Amino acid sequence: RATATTICNAHAGRVACVPANAPGNYAQRMRDAGKTQGVAKAAIAAVKTVDIAALEPVAYLSALSAVLYYFCLTINAVMMFAGEITPKHKNWGVRVFGNMTEQWPMFLSALWTHAIFVSPVTAVQAGYVWLAMRALYPFVRLFTNENEPATMATTMPQYFVNVYLVFAVVMKIGFGATFNPFLSPIVYMVLCGTSMMVVHPIAKMFLK
């Protein structure tokens, strides 16, 4: 039906409306209203299918990662009370917390998005790999520098986990397909290569 200000599409007890002065003809506006209604119904259906109990392991893993976050934070925060320390010691404390802050926000958003829209089971499985590598980092960095193989062996798997969690969501929602976790290193390297060979050369043109 149409009113002076809106055009509505009623179906199965639900009504979707669009402004009457929206671009396009009447039929197009009604089709757009139907699409809006369909998207809303799909979103409601997705929410209804979320099993809260199945998300408890995800919540527990998130809490463990928060504990680890504050552990890394305190390593950095209390250095001023540790007495005289070497520059190497100071760099260790700064990087332990700095690397955590680089990784943690992405991990949390990827973990929960994956758990809700793909699978809480695979989210937790991948998440514990991330957590284990994250917990190793402060101790590995005691004996290595930033880009040495042992350090990279703890940090790179974390990037791969995040890539897997995120791209699994992109592939499922965007394309209705699955994402093989073993492709994560390749995708990450493609992203790095794009930044190195495309983004930075363009940046050099403007940042002289």
Side-chain angles (χ1 to χ4, degrees), residues 118-168:
V118 180
S119 167
V121 175
T122 54
V124 169
Q125 291 172 343
Y128 273 111
V129 173
W130 183 94
L131 190 69
M133 295 296 101
R134 187 72 258 154
L136 283 174
Y137 182 84
F139 303 101
V140 171
R141 281 289 277 115
L142 285 171
F143 308 102
T144 64
N145 293 318
E146 188 71 22
N147 295 316
E148 291 185 6
T151 306
M152 300 300 288
T154 61
T155 56
M156 295 307 293
Q158 296 173 60
Y159 289 112
F160 300 156
V161 166
N162 286 339
V163 167
Y164 163 66
L165 293 173
V166 168
F167 272 82

mmCIF file of all heavy atoms in Angstrom, residues 118-168:
data_model
loop_
_atom_site.group_PDB
_atom_site.id
_atom_site.type_symbol
_atom_site.label_atom_id
_atom_site.label_comp_id
_atom_site.label_asym_id
_atom_site.label_seq_id
_atom_site.Cartn_x
_atom_site.Cartn_y
_atom_site.Cartn_z
ATOM 1 N N VAL A 118 30.238 -18.804 11.855
ATOM 2 C CA VAL A 118 30.806 -20.008 11.236
ATOM 3 C C VAL A 118 30.669 -21.195 12.180
ATOM 4 O O VAL A 118 29.851 -22.086 11.950
ATOM 5 C CB VAL A 118 32.282 -19.797 10.838
ATOM 6 C CG1 VAL A 118 32.840 -21.076 10.192
ATOM 7 C CG2 VAL A 118 32.408 -18.636 9.858
ATOM 8 N N SER A 119 31.448 -21.200 13.244
ATOM 9 C CA SER A 119 31.389 -22.326 14.188
ATOM 10 C C SER A 119 32.102 -21.969 15.483
ATOM 11 O O SER A 119 33.278 -21.582 15.443
ATOM 12 C CB SER A 119 32.042 -23.571 13.577
ATOM 13 O OG SER A 119 32.265 -24.566 14.563
ATOM 14 N N PRO A 120 31.438 -22.124 16.634
ATOM 15 C CA PRO A 120 32.136 -21.900 17.904
ATOM 16 C C PRO A 120 33.211 -22.948 18.156
ATOM 17 O O PRO A 120 34.189 -22.679 18.867
ATOM 18 C CB PRO A 120 31.014 -21.980 18.950
ATOM 19 C CG PRO A 120 29.912 -22.725 18.292
ATOM 20 C CD PRO A 120 30.012 -22.429 16.831
ATOM 21 N N VAL A 121 33.041 -24.123 17.586
ATOM 22 C CA VAL A 121 34.017 -25.202 17.795
ATOM 23 C C VAL A 121 35.344 -24.853 17.130
ATOM 24 O O VAL A 121 36.414 -24.889 17.762
ATOM 25 C CB VAL A 121 33.478 -26.539 17.251
ATOM 26 C CG1 VAL A 121 34.552 -27.627 17.354
ATOM 27 C CG2 VAL A 121 32.229 -26.962 18.015
ATOM 28 N N THR A 122 35.306 -24.507 15.850
ATOM 29 C CA THR A 122 36.555 -24.168 15.162
ATOM 30 C C THR A 122 37.128 -22.851 15.674
ATOM 31 O O THR A 122 38.349 -22.660 15.655
ATOM 32 C CB THR A 122 36.334 -24.085 13.646
ATOM 33 O OG1 THR A 122 35.263 -23.173 13.362
ATOM 34 C CG2 THR A 122 35.991 -25.442 13.074
ATOM 35 N N ALA A 123 36.266 -21.958 16.142
ATOM 36 C CA ALA A 123 36.758 -20.707 16.719
ATOM 37 C C ALA A 123 37.604 -20.986 17.950
ATOM 38 O O ALA A 123 38.692 -20.414 18.126
ATOM 39 C CB ALA A 123 35.587 -19.792 17.086
ATOM 40 N N VAL A 124 37.130 -21.881 18.814
ATOM 41 C CA VAL A 124 37.865 -22.210 20.035
ATOM 42 C C VAL A 124 39.135 -22.990 19.713
ATOM 43 O O VAL A 124 40.190 -22.753 20.310
ATOM 44 C CB VAL A 124 36.964 -23.001 21.001
ATOM 45 C CG1 VAL A 124 37.773 -23.583 22.151
ATOM 46 C CG2 VAL A 124 35.853 -22.101 21.543
ATOM 47 N N GLN A 125 39.040 -23.921 18.787
ATOM 48 C CA GLN A 125 40.227 -24.698 18.412
ATOM 49 C C GLN A 125 41.340 -23.794 17.904
ATOM 50 O O GLN A 125 42.499 -23.905 18.336
ATOM 51 C CB GLN A 125 39.851 -25.736 17.353
ATOM 52 C CG GLN A 125 38.968 -26.862 17.866
ATOM 53 C CD GLN A 125 38.451 -27.761 16.761
ATOM 54 O OE1 GLN A 125 38.474 -27.398 15.576
ATOM 55 N NE2 GLN A 125 37.972 -28.935 17.118
ATOM 56 N N ALA A 126 40.991 -22.904 16.993
ATOM 57 C CA ALA A 126 41.994 -21.970 16.474
ATOM 58 C C ALA A 126 42.424 -20.985 17.550
ATOM 59 O O ALA A 126 43.596 -20.602 17.626
ATOM 60 C CB ALA A 126 41.428 -21.216 15.268
ATOM 61 N N GLY A 127 41.475 -20.590 18.401
ATOM 62 C CA GLY A 127 41.771 -19.622 19.449
ATOM 63 C C GLY A 127 42.787 -20.114 20.456
ATOM 64 O O GLY A 127 43.629 -19.336 20.928
ATOM 65 N N TYR A 128 42.748 -21.395 20.775
ATOM 66 C CA TYR A 128 43.723 -21.923 21.734
ATOM 67 C C TYR A 128 45.128 -22.008 21.126
ATOM 68 O O TYR A 128 46.125 -21.916 21.855
ATOM 69 C CB TYR A 128 43.277 -23.283 22.268
ATOM 70 C CG TYR A 128 42.362 -23.149 23.465
ATOM 71 C CD1 TYR A 128 41.013 -23.480 23.383
ATOM 72 C CD2 TYR A 128 42.838 -22.654 24.684
ATOM 73 C CE1 TYR A 128 40.167 -23.341 24.465
ATOM 74 C CE2 TYR A 128 42.003 -22.510 25.777
ATOM 75 C CZ TYR A 128 40.672 -22.850 25.659
ATOM 76 O OH TYR A 128 39.826 -22.696 26.745
ATOM 77 N N VAL A 129 45.203 -22.182 19.831
ATOM 78 C CA VAL A 129 46.515 -22.103 19.177
ATOM 79 C C VAL A 129 47.071 -20.691 19.345
ATOM 80 O O VAL A 129 48.241 -20.499 19.692
ATOM 81 C CB VAL A 129 46.404 -22.466 17.682
ATOM 82 C CG1 VAL A 129 47.737 -22.214 16.974
ATOM 83 C CG2 VAL A 129 45.966 -23.918 17.518
ATOM 84 N N TRP A 130 46.209 -19.710 19.091
ATOM 85 C CA TRP A 130 46.618 -18.308 19.266
ATOM 86 C C TRP A 130 47.059 -18.051 20.702
ATOM 87 O O TRP A 130 48.104 -17.430 20.942
ATOM 88 C CB TRP A 130 45.457 -17.385 18.893
ATOM 89 C CG TRP A 130 45.780 -15.929 18.975
ATOM 90 C CD1 TRP A 130 46.211 -15.122 17.958
ATOM 91 C CD2 TRP A 130 45.697 -15.084 20.135
ATOM 92 N NE1 TRP A 130 46.403 -13.836 18.404
ATOM 93 C CE2 TRP A 130 46.097 -13.785 19.743
ATOM 94 C CE3 TRP A 130 45.326 -15.292 21.454
ATOM 95 C CZ2 TRP A 130 46.138 -12.704 20.633
ATOM 96 C CZ3 TRP A 130 45.365 -14.221 22.348
ATOM 97 C CH2 TRP A 130 45.765 -12.947 21.930
ATOM 98 N N LEU A 131 46.281 -18.508 21.662
ATOM 99 C CA LEU A 131 46.579 -18.249 23.071
ATOM 100 C C LEU A 131 47.898 -18.887 23.490
ATOM 101 O O LEU A 131 48.686 -18.283 24.231
ATOM 102 C CB LEU A 131 45.440 -18.778 23.953
ATOM 103 C CG LEU A 131 45.499 -18.380 25.425
ATOM 104 C CD1 LEU A 131 45.241 -16.886 25.592
ATOM 105 C CD2 LEU A 131 44.470 -19.183 26.231
ATOM 106 N N ALA A 132 48.151 -20.101 23.010
ATOM 107 C CA ALA A 132 49.399 -20.781 23.352
ATOM 108 C C ALA A 132 50.605 -20.021 22.806
ATOM 109 O O ALA A 132 51.601 -19.813 23.524
ATOM 110 C CB ALA A 132 49.375 -22.209 22.807
ATOM 111 N N MET A 133 50.517 -19.592 21.555
ATOM 112 C CA MET A 133 51.616 -18.824 20.966
ATOM 113 C C MET A 133 51.795 -17.484 21.665
ATOM 114 O O MET A 133 52.916 -17.016 21.881
ATOM 115 C CB MET A 133 51.356 -18.603 19.475
ATOM 116 C CG MET A 133 51.338 -19.852 18.622
ATOM 117 S SD MET A 133 52.936 -20.715 18.564
ATOM 118 C CE MET A 133 52.635 -22.047 19.743
ATOM 119 N N ARG A 134 50.670 -16.878 22.041
ATOM 120 C CA ARG A 134 50.704 -15.584 22.728
ATOM 121 C C ARG A 134 51.373 -15.714 24.096
ATOM 122 O O ARG A 134 52.132 -14.848 24.524
ATOM 123 C CB ARG A 134 49.260 -15.081 22.887
ATOM 124 C CG ARG A 134 49.096 -13.691 23.413
ATOM 125 C CD ARG A 134 49.481 -12.673 22.391
ATOM 126 N NE ARG A 134 50.815 -12.141 22.673
ATOM 127 C CZ ARG A 134 51.605 -11.632 21.767
ATOM 128 N NH1 ARG A 134 51.238 -11.577 20.509
ATOM 129 N NH2 ARG A 134 52.791 -11.166 22.094
ATOM 130 N N ALA A 135 51.086 -16.801 24.805
ATOM 131 C CA ALA A 135 51.667 -17.017 26.126
ATOM 132 C C ALA A 135 53.163 -17.306 26.044
ATOM 133 O O ALA A 135 53.920 -16.981 26.972
ATOM 134 C CB ALA A 135 50.947 -18.170 26.834
ATOM 135 N N LEU A 136 53.606 -17.897 24.940
ATOM 136 C CA LEU A 136 55.027 -18.207 24.769
ATOM 137 C C LEU A 136 55.858 -16.975 24.466
ATOM 138 O O LEU A 136 57.055 -16.922 24.792
ATOM 139 C CB LEU A 136 55.208 -19.226 23.642
ATOM 140 C CG LEU A 136 54.891 -20.687 23.941
ATOM 141 C CD1 LEU A 136 54.986 -21.511 22.669
ATOM 142 C CD2 LEU A 136 55.839 -21.227 25.004
ATOM 143 N N TYR A 137 55.248 -15.986 23.842
ATOM 144 C CA TYR A 137 55.996 -14.846 23.324
ATOM 145 C C TYR A 137 56.875 -14.151 24.367
ATOM 146 O O TYR A 137 58.060 -13.907 24.092
ATOM 147 C CB TYR A 137 55.040 -13.840 22.681
ATOM 148 C CG TYR A 137 55.736 -12.649 22.082
ATOM 149 C CD1 TYR A 137 56.269 -12.693 20.793
ATOM 150 C CD2 TYR A 137 55.896 -11.462 22.800
ATOM 151 C CE1 TYR A 137 56.919 -11.602 20.240
ATOM 152 C CE2 TYR A 137 56.541 -10.364 22.257
ATOM 153 C CZ TYR A 137 57.057 -10.441 20.979
ATOM 154 O OH TYR A 137 57.711 -9.361 20.436
ATOM 155 N N PRO A 138 56.374 -13.798 25.567
ATOM 156 C CA PRO A 138 57.233 -13.088 26.524
ATOM 157 C C PRO A 138 58.491 -13.869 26.898
ATOM 158 O O PRO A 138 59.559 -13.273 27.115
ATOM 159 C CB PRO A 138 56.325 -12.903 27.750
ATOM 160 C CG PRO A 138 54.946 -12.981 27.210
ATOM 161 C CD PRO A 138 55.012 -13.974 26.102
ATOM 162 N N PHE A 139 58.369 -15.186 26.949
ATOM 163 C CA PHE A 139 59.505 -16.005 27.378
ATOM 164 C C PHE A 139 60.485 -16.240 26.231
ATOM 165 O O PHE A 139 61.705 -16.257 26.435
ATOM 166 C CB PHE A 139 58.980 -17.325 27.942
ATOM 167 C CG PHE A 139 58.008 -17.135 29.068
ATOM 168 C CD1 PHE A 139 56.643 -17.249 28.850
ATOM 169 C CD2 PHE A 139 58.444 -16.786 30.343
ATOM 170 C CE1 PHE A 139 55.741 -17.043 29.881
ATOM 171 C CE2 PHE A 139 57.550 -16.573 31.378
ATOM 172 C CZ PHE A 139 56.191 -16.701 31.144
ATOM 173 N N VAL A 140 59.954 -16.403 25.017
ATOM 174 C CA VAL A 140 60.820 -16.546 23.853
ATOM 175 C C VAL A 140 61.622 -15.270 23.626
ATOM 176 O O VAL A 140 62.818 -15.300 23.313
ATOM 177 C CB VAL A 140 59.988 -16.898 22.601
ATOM 178 C CG1 VAL A 140 60.849 -16.829 21.337
ATOM 179 C CG2 VAL A 140 59.379 -18.280 22.748
ATOM 180 N N ARG A 141 60.986 -14.120 23.847
ATOM 181 C CA ARG A 141 61.654 -12.831 23.636
ATOM 182 C C ARG A 141 62.760 -12.556 24.650
ATOM 183 O O ARG A 141 63.583 -11.661 24.451
ATOM 184 C CB ARG A 141 60.640 -11.698 23.664
ATOM 185 C CG ARG A 141 59.850 -11.537 22.398
ATOM 186 C CD ARG A 141 60.678 -10.986 21.238
ATOM 187 N NE ARG A 141 60.768 -9.530 21.288
ATOM 188 C CZ ARG A 141 61.884 -8.842 21.482
ATOM 189 N NH1 ARG A 141 63.040 -9.460 21.605
ATOM 190 N NH2 ARG A 141 61.867 -7.532 21.521
ATOM 191 N N LEU A 142 62.804 -13.322 25.720
ATOM 192 C CA LEU A 142 63.916 -13.189 26.668
ATOM 193 C C LEU A 142 65.233 -13.586 26.023
ATOM 194 O O LEU A 142 66.297 -13.091 26.416
ATOM 195 C CB LEU A 142 63.673 -14.059 27.907
ATOM 196 C CG LEU A 142 62.637 -13.573 28.912
ATOM 197 C CD1 LEU A 142 62.375 -14.665 29.947
ATOM 198 C CD2 LEU A 142 63.098 -12.287 29.602
ATOM 199 N N PHE A 143 65.171 -14.464 25.038
ATOM 200 C CA PHE A 143 66.385 -15.032 24.454
ATOM 201 C C PHE A 143 66.586 -14.659 22.989
ATOM 202 O O PHE A 143 67.577 -15.066 22.386
ATOM 203 C CB PHE A 143 66.334 -16.565 24.577
ATOM 204 C CG PHE A 143 66.058 -17.048 25.974
ATOM 205 C CD1 PHE A 143 64.782 -17.486 26.331
ATOM 206 C CD2 PHE A 143 67.052 -17.040 26.944
ATOM 207 C CE1 PHE A 143 64.521 -17.928 27.621
ATOM 208 C CE2 PHE A 143 66.795 -17.471 28.234
ATOM 209 C CZ PHE A 143 65.528 -17.917 28.577
ATOM 210 N N THR A 144 65.644 -13.928 22.409
ATOM 211 C CA THR A 144 65.739 -13.602 20.991
ATOM 212 C C THR A 144 65.442 -12.126 20.761
ATOM 213 O O THR A 144 64.907 -11.445 21.631
ATOM 214 C CB THR A 144 64.741 -14.430 20.161
ATOM 215 O OG1 THR A 144 63.407 -14.071 20.547
ATOM 216 C CG2 THR A 144 64.954 -15.912 20.372
ATOM 217 N N ASN A 145 65.783 -11.670 19.580
ATOM 218 C CA ASN A 145 65.412 -10.327 19.162
ATOM 219 C C ASN A 145 64.116 -10.368 18.355
ATOM 220 O O ASN A 145 63.567 -11.438 18.086
ATOM 221 C CB ASN A 145 66.537 -9.690 18.351
ATOM 222 C CG ASN A 145 67.769 -9.435 19.204
ATOM 223 O OD1 ASN A 145 67.658 -8.991 20.350
ATOM 224 N ND2 ASN A 145 68.946 -9.735 18.654
ATOM 225 N N GLU A 146 63.679 -9.191 17.919
ATOM 226 C CA GLU A 146 62.335 -9.052 17.348
ATOM 227 C C GLU A 146 62.087 -9.952 16.143
ATOM 228 O O GLU A 146 61.071 -10.606 16.059
ATOM 229 C CB GLU A 146 62.108 -7.587 16.954
ATOM 230 C CG GLU A 146 60.679 -7.280 16.539
ATOM 231 C CD GLU A 146 59.706 -7.301 17.692
ATOM 232 O OE1 GLU A 146 60.141 -7.148 18.849
ATOM 233 O OE2 GLU A 146 58.499 -7.490 17.454
ATOM 234 N N ASN A 147 63.013 -10.000 15.197
ATOM 235 C CA ASN A 147 62.744 -10.693 13.940
ATOM 236 C C ASN A 147 63.539 -11.982 13.772
ATOM 237 O O ASN A 147 63.705 -12.463 12.644
ATOM 238 C CB ASN A 147 63.031 -9.757 12.762
ATOM 239 C CG ASN A 147 62.076 -8.574 12.743
ATOM 240 O OD1 ASN A 147 60.875 -8.736 12.946
ATOM 241 N ND2 ASN A 147 62.609 -7.380 12.518
ATOM 242 N N GLU A 148 64.019 -12.539 14.857
ATOM 243 C CA GLU A 148 64.734 -13.809 14.774
ATOM 244 C C GLU A 148 63.753 -14.965 14.582
ATOM 245 O O GLU A 148 62.563 -14.851 14.921
ATOM 246 C CB GLU A 148 65.582 -14.004 16.028
ATOM 247 C CG GLU A 148 66.758 -13.024 16.116
ATOM 248 C CD GLU A 148 67.664 -13.306 17.297
ATOM 249 O OE1 GLU A 148 67.441 -14.329 17.981
ATOM 250 O OE2 GLU A 148 68.585 -12.517 17.547
ATOM 251 N N PRO A 149 64.240 -16.090 14.049
ATOM 252 C CA PRO A 149 63.337 -17.202 13.738
ATOM 253 C C PRO A 149 62.484 -17.668 14.912
ATOM 254 O O PRO A 149 61.289 -17.957 14.735
ATOM 255 C CB PRO A 149 64.295 -18.307 13.273
ATOM 256 C CG PRO A 149 65.459 -17.564 12.706
ATOM 257 C CD PRO A 149 65.616 -16.340 13.560
ATOM 258 N N ALA A 150 63.045 -17.764 16.105
ATOM 259 C CA ALA A 150 62.272 -18.240 17.255
ATOM 260 C C ALA A 150 61.124 -17.291 17.579
ATOM 261 O O ALA A 150 60.018 -17.725 17.934
ATOM 262 C CB ALA A 150 63.185 -18.416 18.470
ATOM 263 N N THR A 151 61.384 -15.990 17.468
ATOM 264 C CA THR A 151 60.332 -15.014 17.716
ATOM 265 C C THR A 151 59.254 -15.102 16.654
ATOM 266 O O THR A 151 58.050 -15.093 16.968
ATOM 267 C CB THR A 151 60.904 -13.584 17.733
ATOM 268 O OG1 THR A 151 61.971 -13.521 18.672
ATOM 269 C CG2 THR A 151 59.836 -12.579 18.123
ATOM 270 N N MET A 152 59.654 -15.197 15.415
ATOM 271 C CA MET A 152 58.693 -15.297 14.328
ATOM 272 C C MET A 152 57.872 -16.582 14.428
ATOM 273 O O MET A 152 56.703 -16.616 14.029
ATOM 274 C CB MET A 152 59.416 -15.251 12.982
ATOM 275 C CG MET A 152 60.210 -13.974 12.753
ATOM 276 S SD MET A 152 59.185 -12.485 12.795
ATOM 277 C CE MET A 152 58.297 -12.655 11.252
ATOM 278 N N ALA A 153 58.464 -17.619 14.999
ATOM 279 C CA ALA A 153 57.745 -18.884 15.150
ATOM 280 C C ALA A 153 56.594 -18.774 16.138
ATOM 281 O O ALA A 153 55.667 -19.601 16.115
ATOM 282 C CB ALA A 153 58.712 -19.981 15.594
ATOM 283 N N THR A 154 56.640 -17.785 17.014
ATOM 284 C CA THR A 154 55.523 -17.579 17.945
ATOM 285 C C THR A 154 54.531 -16.539 17.426
ATOM 286 O O THR A 154 53.335 -16.632 17.711
ATOM 287 C CB THR A 154 56.028 -17.142 19.326
ATOM 288 O OG1 THR A 154 56.730 -15.897 19.214
ATOM 289 C CG2 THR A 154 56.933 -18.186 19.932
ATOM 290 N N THR A 155 55.008 -15.545 16.690
ATOM 291 C CA THR A 155 54.112 -14.480 16.231
ATOM 292 C C THR A 155 53.374 -14.826 14.946
ATOM 293 O O THR A 155 52.182 -14.523 14.807
ATOM 294 C CB THR A 155 54.886 -13.161 16.022
ATOM 295 O OG1 THR A 155 55.968 -13.391 15.115
ATOM 296 C CG2 THR A 155 55.434 -12.643 17.328
ATOM 297 N N MET A 156 54.041 -15.457 13.990
ATOM 298 C CA MET A 156 53.400 -15.724 12.706
ATOM 299 C C MET A 156 52.169 -16.625 12.827
ATOM 300 O O MET A 156 51.149 -16.360 12.170
ATOM 301 C CB MET A 156 54.406 -16.311 11.716
ATOM 302 C CG MET A 156 55.532 -15.357 11.343
ATOM 303 S SD MET A 156 54.944 -13.745 10.744
ATOM 304 C CE MET A 156 54.165 -14.205 9.208
ATOM 305 N N PRO A 157 52.199 -17.690 13.637
ATOM 306 C CA PRO A 157 50.978 -18.483 13.779
ATOM 307 C C PRO A 157 49.788 -17.675 14.296
ATOM 308 O O PRO A 157 48.641 -17.971 13.957
ATOM 309 C CB PRO A 157 51.380 -19.574 14.786
ATOM 310 C CG PRO A 157 52.845 -19.717 14.610
ATOM 311 C CD PRO A 157 53.331 -18.326 14.340
ATOM 312 N N GLN A 158 50.058 -16.643 15.089
ATOM 313 C CA GLN A 158 48.961 -15.806 15.571
ATOM 314 C C GLN A 158 48.316 -15.043 14.422
ATOM 315 O O GLN A 158 47.086 -14.922 14.353
ATOM 316 C CB GLN A 158 49.487 -14.841 16.625
ATOM 317 C CG GLN A 158 50.012 -15.533 17.879
ATOM 318 C CD GLN A 158 50.674 -14.563 18.831
ATOM 319 O OE1 GLN A 158 50.045 -13.620 19.302
ATOM 320 N NE2 GLN A 158 51.942 -14.788 19.129
ATOM 321 N N TYR A 159 49.146 -14.514 13.525
ATOM 322 C CA TYR A 159 48.594 -13.850 12.345
ATOM 323 C C TYR A 159 47.788 -14.826 11.489
ATOM 324 O O TYR A 159 46.716 -14.489 10.979
ATOM 325 C CB TYR A 159 49.715 -13.236 11.510
ATOM 326 C CG TYR A 159 50.372 -12.041 12.130
ATOM 327 C CD1 TYR A 159 51.692 -12.086 12.570
ATOM 328 C CD2 TYR A 159 49.682 -10.839 12.278
ATOM 329 C CE1 TYR A 159 52.306 -10.977 13.137
ATOM 330 C CE2 TYR A 159 50.277 -9.726 12.846
ATOM 331 C CZ TYR A 159 51.592 -9.803 13.274
ATOM 332 O OH TYR A 159 52.187 -8.707 13.843
ATOM 333 N N PHE A 160 48.312 -16.037 11.341
ATOM 334 C CA PHE A 160 47.618 -17.028 10.519
ATOM 335 C C PHE A 160 46.270 -17.403 11.129
ATOM 336 O O PHE A 160 45.283 -17.592 10.409
ATOM 337 C CB PHE A 160 48.494 -18.276 10.352
ATOM 338 C CG PHE A 160 49.810 -18.018 9.689
ATOM 339 C CD1 PHE A 160 50.887 -18.880 9.893
ATOM 340 C CD2 PHE A 160 49.995 -16.914 8.864
ATOM 341 C CE1 PHE A 160 52.114 -18.647 9.286
ATOM 342 C CE2 PHE A 160 51.217 -16.666 8.248
ATOM 343 C CZ PHE A 160 52.281 -17.545 8.460
ATOM 344 N N VAL A 161 46.218 -17.528 12.447
ATOM 345 C CA VAL A 161 44.952 -17.842 13.123
ATOM 346 C C VAL A 161 43.940 -16.730 12.870
ATOM 347 O O VAL A 161 42.774 -16.989 12.535
ATOM 348 C CB VAL A 161 45.163 -18.039 14.638
ATOM 349 C CG1 VAL A 161 43.822 -18.015 15.383
ATOM 350 C CG2 VAL A 161 45.873 -19.358 14.908
ATOM 351 N N ASN A 162 44.360 -15.489 13.032
ATOM 352 C CA ASN A 162 43.446 -14.368 12.813
ATOM 353 C C ASN A 162 42.946 -14.331 11.379
ATOM 354 O O ASN A 162 41.762 -14.063 11.122
ATOM 355 C CB ASN A 162 44.131 -13.050 13.178
ATOM 356 C CG ASN A 162 44.271 -12.857 14.666
ATOM 357 O OD1 ASN A 162 43.551 -13.461 15.463
ATOM 358 N ND2 ASN A 162 45.209 -12.004 15.067
ATOM 359 N N VAL A 163 43.848 -14.583 10.436
ATOM 360 C CA VAL A 163 43.449 -14.606 9.026
ATOM 361 C C VAL A 163 42.413 -15.703 8.789
ATOM 362 O O VAL A 163 41.404 -15.485 8.098
ATOM 363 C CB VAL A 163 44.672 -14.815 8.114
ATOM 364 C CG1 VAL A 163 44.236 -15.161 6.694
ATOM 365 C CG2 VAL A 163 45.540 -13.564 8.099
ATOM 366 N N TYR A 164 42.653 -16.873 9.352
ATOM 367 C CA TYR A 164 41.687 -17.970 9.176
ATOM 368 C C TYR A 164 40.324 -17.612 9.743
ATOM 369 O O TYR A 164 39.293 -17.785 9.075
ATOM 370 C CB TYR A 164 42.197 -19.242 9.852
ATOM 371 C CG TYR A 164 41.088 -20.252 10.042
ATOM 372 C CD1 TYR A 164 40.476 -20.844 8.933
ATOM 373 C CD2 TYR A 164 40.630 -20.583 11.315
ATOM 374 C CE1 TYR A 164 39.435 -21.746 9.095
ATOM 375 C CE2 TYR A 164 39.588 -21.480 11.479
ATOM 376 C CZ TYR A 164 38.995 -22.059 10.375
ATOM 377 O OH TYR A 164 37.957 -22.932 10.535
ATOM 378 N N LEU A 165 40.296 -17.105 10.971
ATOM 379 C CA LEU A 165 39.023 -16.777 11.610
ATOM 380 C C LEU A 165 38.244 -15.753 10.789
ATOM 381 O O LEU A 165 37.026 -15.875 10.614
ATOM 382 C CB LEU A 165 39.267 -16.249 13.023
ATOM 383 C CG LEU A 165 39.826 -17.253 14.048
ATOM 384 C CD1 LEU A 165 40.170 -16.542 15.352
ATOM 385 C CD2 LEU A 165 38.841 -18.391 14.296
ATOM 386 N N VAL A 166 38.941 -14.751 10.289
ATOM 387 C CA VAL A 166 38.283 -13.675 9.546
ATOM 388 C C VAL A 166 37.843 -14.142 8.158
ATOM 389 O O VAL A 166 36.695 -13.930 7.750
ATOM 390 C CB VAL A 166 39.214 -12.453 9.421
ATOM 391 C CG1 VAL A 166 38.665 -11.453 8.422
ATOM 392 C CG2 VAL A 166 39.389 -11.786 10.773
ATOM 393 N N PHE A 167 38.731 -14.793 7.418
ATOM 394 C CA PHE A 167 38.408 -15.150 6.039
ATOM 395 C C PHE A 167 37.371 -16.267 5.968
ATOM 396 O O PHE A 167 36.643 -16.362 4.973
ATOM 397 C CB PHE A 167 39.677 -15.533 5.280
ATOM 398 C CG PHE A 167 40.352 -14.353 4.651
ATOM 399 C CD1 PHE A 167 41.186 -13.535 5.388
ATOM 400 C CD2 PHE A 167 40.125 -14.033 3.324
ATOM 401 C CE1 PHE A 167 41.794 -12.426 4.828
ATOM 402 C CE2 PHE A 167 40.731 -12.929 2.737
ATOM 403 C CZ PHE A 167 41.569 -12.118 3.494
ATOM 404 N N ALA A 168 37.275 -17.083 7.010
ATOM 405 C CA ALA A 168 36.208 -18.083 7.045
ATOM 406 C C ALA A 168 34.843 -17.401 7.090
ATOM 407 O O ALA A 168 33.880 -17.866 6.473
ATOM 408 C CB ALA A 168 36.385 -19.004 8.253
#
